[in-house]
Amino acid sequence: MFLSASDLVLNANGVRVGPRRVTEERLLRVDRGVYIGVDKLAADPASWSVRARVAEARLLALNARAFGSEGFAFTGESALVVLGLDPWWNNPDVSVRRKVRSGTKTGMWAMHVGSTTVSETRIKQTDVFADSLDTSLFTKRGLPISPLPILVLDLVRSAHPLQAFHDVSVLLRYHSRFDRWELERSQAQAAHIKQDLRNELCDLRAGRDKRVHWFGRALAVLDASDPGIESPAHQVAAAAVKRQQDLEDLGWHIVNITYQQARDVEGLVNYLTQRLGALGVRTHSAHGLLWEPPSLELFAKHRRS
């Protein structure tokens, strides 16, 4: 995260942040009684950067106010923001895990930062696996996040498979300290973390028959995840030419894509579906969740750069 709690301006000790101070210090309201300077959000005026800073400010504001208590942790894409990672959306919904759900607040309002309007987001609460909050992890910013296996479960259980694949891959990259210049070490470390996560997820599943489908989905996405991913549309691999030659020698078919194709994710899905179909690979089967028809929200330009 770029922002910290010290960047916020809050009502405190019965003293409210008044209109004059808001104007003089160019403050924007993040939440009730919580403000932040425009310059903090627009240090980089690019729309994607502004949305990312607003996402951070929202989490800091919630932590400073009603949610800053025991029995609470950020999870899902909110936890990725806390860790300084780039989730599928850079204006993600706020995902929190609580021991007892609170119905006092269900969303965060839109914010206008210069020429960028950051749309409103929902606050998504869950109390499933509430006992996991007894082992919440605290980051250096002082924000609590869910333990890793719970976080993986929350990233995949309600997201589109493509979004889940990206988010879990980004998380795996972070925890394996993936370095494309140390590919062998990085891949070995990632494989070790994957196996540990599989074991922990299987332990969680024990005795929870009603939610088995969540775990199956989590395990499938975990198995497919790749820490080499750097963005939703591009992966980095060492010695790519030799790797392709080795695969072709083993009878693999290689489907190459251009940079422009990679920038159009929806078009890329359609292209790969056609190419794989021509090679006899079924992509619309019950086991082809990655190719599930994308929703309009998945690629919404106000949520992603």
Side-chain angles (χ1 to χ4, degrees), residues 74-86:
F74 290 111
T75 193
E77 290 194 324
S78 292
L80 297 187
V81 173
V82 171
L83 293 172
L85 307 178
D86 294 322

Side-chain angles (χ1 to χ4, degrees), residues 1-4 8 30 36 40-42 47-63 74-75 77-96 108-111 113 116-123 143 302-303:
M1 293 180 71
F2 287 87
L3 301 179
S4 64
L8 302 178
V30 184
I36 193 169
K40 300 290 185 181
L41 301 177
S47 294
W48 69 267
S49 179
V50 171
R51 289 196 293 266
R53 298 295 81 77
V54 167
E56 294 178 3
R58 285 169 169 164
L59 301 186
L60 289 166
L62 287 178
N63 189 66
F74 290 111
T75 193
E77 290 194 324
S78 292
L80 297 187
V81 173
V82 171
L83 293 172
L85 307 178
D86 294 322
W88 176 263
W89 283 321
N90 56 12
N91 178 33
D93 289 324
V94 176
S95 297
V96 295
M108 305 290 288
W109 48 62
M111 294 181 65
V113 185
T116 300
T117 297
V118 183
S119 63
E120 68 278 3
T121 55
R122 295 170 295 173
I123 296 178
L143 301 182
H302 69 285
R303 302 293 298 275

